[in-house]
Amino acid sequence: MANIAGIPVYKEIGATPAPVTAQDRAPVVVIGAGPVGLAMALDLGRRGHAVTVLNRLDFVAHCSKAICFSKRSLDILDRLGVRDPAVGKGVTWNLGKVFWGAEPEPVYQFDMLPVKGQKNPGFINIQQYYIEDYLLEGCRAHPNVDIRWGHRLTSLTPLQGGVEVEVQTDAGSYTLHADWLIACDGARSTVRDQMGLDFEGRVFEDNFLIADIRMTHEMPSERWFWFDPPFNPGRSALMHKQPDNVWRLDFQLGWNVDREAAVRPENVDPFIRAMLGEDVRYEREWYSVYTFQCRRMARFVHGRVVFAGDAAHLVSPFGARGCNGGFADIDNLGWKLDLVLTGQADAALIETYNDEAIVTADENILNSTRSTDFLTPKSTASQALRDAVLELARDHAFARPFVNSGRLSTPVSYPVSSLSTPDQASWSGGVPPGSPMLDAPYQAGWLLETLGDDFALLTHAWDGDPPAGLRVLQLDEAAASRLAMPPGSACLVRPDQYVAARWHQPTTAAVQSALSRAKGAAPCLH
């Protein structure tokens, strides 16, 4: 199946043989072996569940997709055991710069890691196929994860307590019965089409050229963005460094262009030469033209079929919210499905994935839409407003945060989550319920890496008895200070490292109530 549809191959895998019988079963089926699908399979596999992954290709593709992975995604990859190779291979960066016109100095710059002293950087740049490869290696360490390459879903039938799917291979077809199906099969999701579902939102009328090139020319490992540069007048451009001396160059083209002609080397070369100079030597890695959407499904949970990643929502690439948003999905879903599969929670808990993942998707879509509107003004008034902001940003600090070259991916909070127990007292700082835990130096390592895959209770000199089975971490002064936790306080953290509750003066009963609520039980009134 390799090289189908002209897709370049990064790593050959080979087709997986079909089952020996025409009827097969699996507790959990994941559709799609991209980064989101593999992360989902690895998360559940590490928790001891049998997972079957179906992927229509029989290789890891070598093409231009996601390259920017946020700190929050690195925290998730760390929990899954694959952070170290990603950070070791990736290009680390925290600083982004925004330029306007021909001026050599930026009108604005920003730091993606404003709180220092954390394990992971603000961002790394690394090609998606490397991330897929690391996740694949992680899955291979768990024999309960069965990845079937070259197995294509052709139809599905939702059932009362599961899903029945028809699967096609080169050797024939078979039927697969699943208790749960997780659709991670991308923007052109077959699962979504088979269920007659669609996206809601905006499609943006613009085209952008991606030119991934290989060169040894030395430049800083920073995110550089230009408004109206002399090498692409009236439009925008972006430059990022990737591993292996590969650079991502991105040029706004406008709407009415010949997309096929735009990727011909003789038409791409003038853009590259104008940006980098006539003397820079480079090799073509990958050229493509894309448009984008800011859209999502109305719901992500449909009975026993759950959607995640691009199958559920789409955003523009400005802000790196696509794959990072997909990792946020599986981080939210994995522990909840684990509780359901092990009988510790009712299946209704999965509805809270729908609620919280939609909050994340809407935040990403909102920021992505605003970025795109700022980048590509479509009226004289919006153009004048953008230029006024850029003009002010040169000399006035108050205007610089309004410069929007892509609000980069950060974790999203759930301020009204049904799983959170609201604060009963005022706090001066710290991490409120419904927000992701902040990393901090802890003992000989880091706080987040110590939390593990289960619920944890962080305490600061509290002598109470926690509920049975709940991991307890006694914080030192440095970690407690960062979290604004005074002596005697405690904080309950979910398996996805989100705060579920916190107390100045906790009791065992209060902690037990918050733990039950975080697992989907109706909150108790005290």
Side-chain angles (χ1 to χ4, degrees):
M1 188 181 291
N3 300 313
I4 63 167
I7 301 174
V9 177
Y10 169 68
K11 176 174 286 189
E12 286 278 8
I13 304 293
T16 304
V20 295
T21 62
Q23 300 287 327
D24 198 12
R25 292 197 62 87
V28 180
V29 171
V30 176
I31 308 299
V36 176
L38 290 174
M40 183 81 263
L42 179 55
D43 194 2
L44 292 173
R46 293 175 73 253
R47 298 177 190 275
H49 301 291
V51 184
T52 299
V53 183
L54 305 180
N55 197 60
R56 69 182 185 91
L57 303 179
D58 62 359
F59 58 89
V60 177
H62 186 295
C63 54
S64 185
K65 296 182 180 179
I67 65 165
C68 300
F69 294 87
S70 69
K71 178 192 176 300
R72 181 62 191 145
S73 289
L74 296 177
D75 293 339
I76 295 169
L77 293 176
D78 199 16
R79 184 177 62 77
L80 297 179
V82 296
R83 173 263 184 199
D84 288 354
V87 173
K89 180 69 175 180
V91 175
T92 295
W93 66 277
N94 294 316
L95 189 65
K97 294 180 178 178
V98 179
F99 301 87
W100 186 31
E103 294 186 23
E105 295 300 319
V107 296
Y108 173 61
Q109 64 183 40
F110 53 87
D111 188 343
M112 288 306 300
L113 194 69
V115 179
K116 305 304 179 185
Q118 303 190 67
K119 180 176 182 178
N120 286 313
F123 267 87
I124 66 167
N125 286 354
I126 185 171
Q127 293 89 329
Q128 179 175 311
Y129 47 80
Y130 284 124
I131 297 294
E132 292 177 3
D133 202 18
Y134 303 147
L135 289 167
L136 180 57
E137 286 302 309
C139 288
R140 285 172 172 160
H142 299 277
N144 48 320
V145 177
D146 175 20
I147 303 178
R148 301 181 181 181
W149 301 90
H151 287 228
R152 180 170 57 90
L153 180 149
T154 57
S155 67
L156 66 85
T157 304
L159 305 174
Q160 182 66 31
V163 186
E164 181 179 278
V165 300
E166 297 298 324
V167 184
Q168 183 68 46
T169 74
D170 288 346
S173 61
Y174 64 95
T175 301
L176 180 59
H177 296 267
D179 297 328
W180 292 88
L181 185 144
I182 316 300
C184 304
D185 53 343
R188 298 180 177 88
S189 170
T190 301
V191 176
R192 194 178 61 244
D193 288 346
Q194 286 288 326
M195 296 184 70
L197 302 170
D198 202 354
F199 287 134
E200 301 172 352
R202 288 178 60 185
V203 178
F204 290 85
E205 295 185 354
D206 216 322
N207 290 289
F208 291 80
L209 167 67
I210 283 180
D212 280 1
I213 62 171
R214 193 181 297 269
M215 67 176 183
T216 57
H217 184 64
E218 288 298 323
M219 299 185 73
S221 299
E222 301 169 346
R223 180 187 190 265
W224 285 12
F225 189 95
W226 288 267
F227 290 100
D228 192 19
F231 52 82
N232 195 22
R235 296 193 171 97
S236 64
L238 175 68
M239 181 168 66
H240 267 295
K241 185 178 182 181
Q242 305 174 61
D244 308 326
N245 292 319
V246 175
W247 291 77
R248 164 72 53 86
L249 311 181
D250 196 312
F251 302 92
Q252 183 186 0
L253 298 179
W255 182 236
N256 295 313
V257 299
D258 184 334
R259 293 166 61 89
E260 182 178 344
V263 296
R264 293 173 187 160
E266 64 270 22
N267 294 328
V268 176
D269 185 71
F271 283 99
I272 298 174
R273 294 295 178 197
M275 174 187 272
L276 301 177
E278 292 294 333
D279 297 331
V280 172
R281 299 177 62 183
Y282 72 90
E283 297 177 2
R284 172 185 176 180
E285 182 80 2
W286 175 266
Y287 297 164
S288 62
V289 172
Y290 67 91
T291 57
F292 49 82
Q293 309 171 29
C294 290
R295 310 174 72 197
R296 69 165 173 86
M297 299 174 65
R299 288 183 52 81
F300 298 170
V301 176
H302 295 263
R304 293 298 184 95
V305 179
V306 184
F307 291 82
D310 284 354
H313 44 74
L314 293 172
V315 293
S316 80
F318 300 113
R321 294 172 178 270
C323 191
N324 290 305
F327 282 153
D329 288 346
I330 66 95
D331 195 43
N332 188 291
L333 177 60
W335 66 274
K336 295 175 180 178
L337 190 53
D338 171 59
L339 292 180
V340 172
L341 292 171
T342 55
Q344 299 179 65
D346 188 86
L349 179 63
I350 304 304
E351 186 64 22
T352 69
Y353 163 76
N354 182 78
D355 298 338
E356 294 182 342
I358 282 178
V359 170
T360 298
D362 284 347
E363 179 75 10
N364 287 333
I365 288 171
L366 175 64
N367 279 281
S368 185
T369 300
R370 287 175 174 173
S371 296
T372 304
D373 287 339
F374 192 87
L375 292 171
T376 61
K378 296 297 189 291
S379 70
T380 302
S382 58
Q383 178 82 44
L385 175 62
R386 189 194 75 176
D387 291 350
V389 169
L390 293 170
E391 183 71 42
L392 287 168
R394 285 191 177 114
D395 303 310
H396 301 284
F398 81 88
R400 289 166 192 158
F402 295 101
V403 175
N404 194 339
S405 64
R407 294 282 185 256
L408 285 151
S409 178
T410 54
V412 176
S413 296
Y414 316 127
V416 293
S417 171
S418 63
L419 304 183
S420 297
T421 299
D423 286 336
Q424 299 300 308
S426 61
W427 287 73
S428 57
V431 182
S435 294
M437 177 54 61
L438 188 62
D439 201 9
Y442 179 67
Q443 296 181 350
W446 302 94
L447 180 59
L448 291 186
E449 69 183 12
T450 311
L451 291 178
D453 287 333
D454 209 342
F455 285 90
L457 187 69
L458 310 185
T459 70
H460 185 207
W462 175 48
D463 296 327
D465 295 323
L470 185 62
R471 293 183 63 242
V472 178
L473 300 180
Q474 293 283 348
L475 299 181
D476 54 26
E477 287 297 328
S481 176
R482 173 161 289 185
L483 301 177
M485 292 179 60
S489 62
C491 177
L492 179 65
V493 183
R494 303 180 346 181
D496 58 358
Q497 301 175 349
Y498 271 69
V499 173
R502 59 180 179 172
W503 307 267
H504 285 298
Q505 296 179 318
T507 64
T508 300
V511 174
Q512 180 62 67
S513 176
L515 178 61
S516 297
R517 178 171 182 162
K519 291 183 177 181
C524 298
L525 299 178
H526 295 286

